[in-house]
Amino acid sequence: FLYSAVGLGKTHLMHAIAWQIKKNRPDRKVIYLSAEKFMYQFVRALRFKDTVAFKDQFRSVDVLMIDDVQ
């Protein structure tokens, strides 16, 4: 969990963390997405009654990084 004021590099830090994980552990599955994209996928899963696939997508990752949670 990262929290700070706007413009202090949280997104850059999250990108660096994701790249470092992939560099050190290429076998790890990392998903990095914005909160907006996460919510879009969630609402779409609800709308099309495909919540099982939505849950499976995120259960299969080792590291889930969601940026810009307001």
Side-chain angles (χ1 to χ4, degrees):
F1 180 79
L2 302 174
Y3 175 80
S4 72
V6 174
L8 295 177
K10 294 177 298 295
T11 298
H12 286 74
L13 181 58
M14 288 181 73
H15 279 254
I17 290 168
W19 281 111
Q20 192 65 29
I21 291 168
K22 291 302 287 180
K23 177 182 171 188
N24 291 337
R25 299 294 301 269
D27 58 313
R28 297 287 188 205
K29 185 174 179 184
V30 177
I31 292 183
Y32 174 92
L33 68 163
S34 68
E36 180 182 1
K37 188 169 184 177
F38 179 83
M39 286 304 299
Y40 171 79
Q41 290 180 5
F42 176 69
V43 170
R44 190 168 192 270
L46 291 175
R47 182 175 293 144
F48 294 106
K49 296 179 180 17
D50 196 18
T51 56
V52 173
F54 175 81
K55 289 189 284 187
D56 289 344
Q57 174 187 3
F58 294 108
R59 283 184 178 152
S60 67
V61 301
D62 297 301
V63 179
L64 173 62
M65 303 176 86
I66 302 177
D67 195 9
D68 288 332
V69 176
Q70 303 298 325

